[in-house]
Amino acid sequence: AELCLAAVDTLGWPITCNAYLSAPGLEVSVPPHTDRQDVLILQTSGVKRWRVYEPTAVVAGADPLRRGKDGDSFVGECLGEPLLDAVLAPGDALYVPLGFPHATSTACEIESSGSKG
């Protein structure tokens, strides 16, 4: 709660904080999806691989800021190569702009860390 309040004071706009716990060794801990808000990730424990992609073409009937949710799914080929493919370790941070598809995996080792792009 203190982190959220400090962010509100610093940034001057509403903030929502979520905590996600993922078991290690998952090839897909979160499937590809988009969010309707900017996302700032602060990795506090363990490691997680993040893949961030370019926004995809608009699909009729699909909300571009809710792709991969509510029964909608991405076909792997439509995402192409990731703009960023990185493993976050404790203390690392990552910013994902709204509308940029992203997916995570916990089947990674810190030695595989690095970015692509």
Side-chain angles (χ1 to χ4, degrees), residues 13-110:
W13 64 71
I15 303 291
T16 301
C17 290
N18 300 324
Y20 296 97
L21 304 173
S22 301
L26 298 175
E27 195 58 44
V28 177
S29 53
V30 175
H33 69 281
T34 59
D35 291 307
R36 59 178 62 249
Q37 69 276 339
D38 296 321
V39 178
L40 177 62
I41 296 96
L42 304 173
Q43 186 73 25
T44 60
S45 179
V47 294
K48 188 174 279 187
R49 182 178 187 183
W50 285 81
R51 292 184 184 112
V52 180
Y53 302 88
E54 281 188 57
T56 59
V58 175
V59 174
D63 181 345
L65 301 180
R66 296 226 15 108
R67 296 297 317 269
K69 299 178 179 179
D70 304 325
D72 177 57
S73 64
F74 280 118
V75 177
E77 301 80 47
C78 80
L79 292 172
E81 290 295 314
L83 294 173
L84 176 76
D85 186 343
V87 175
L88 299 188
D92 290 341
L94 175 65
Y95 169 74
V96 180
L98 68 99
F100 277 69
H102 51 282
T104 64
S105 168
T106 58
C108 51
E109 298 292 327
I110 195 64

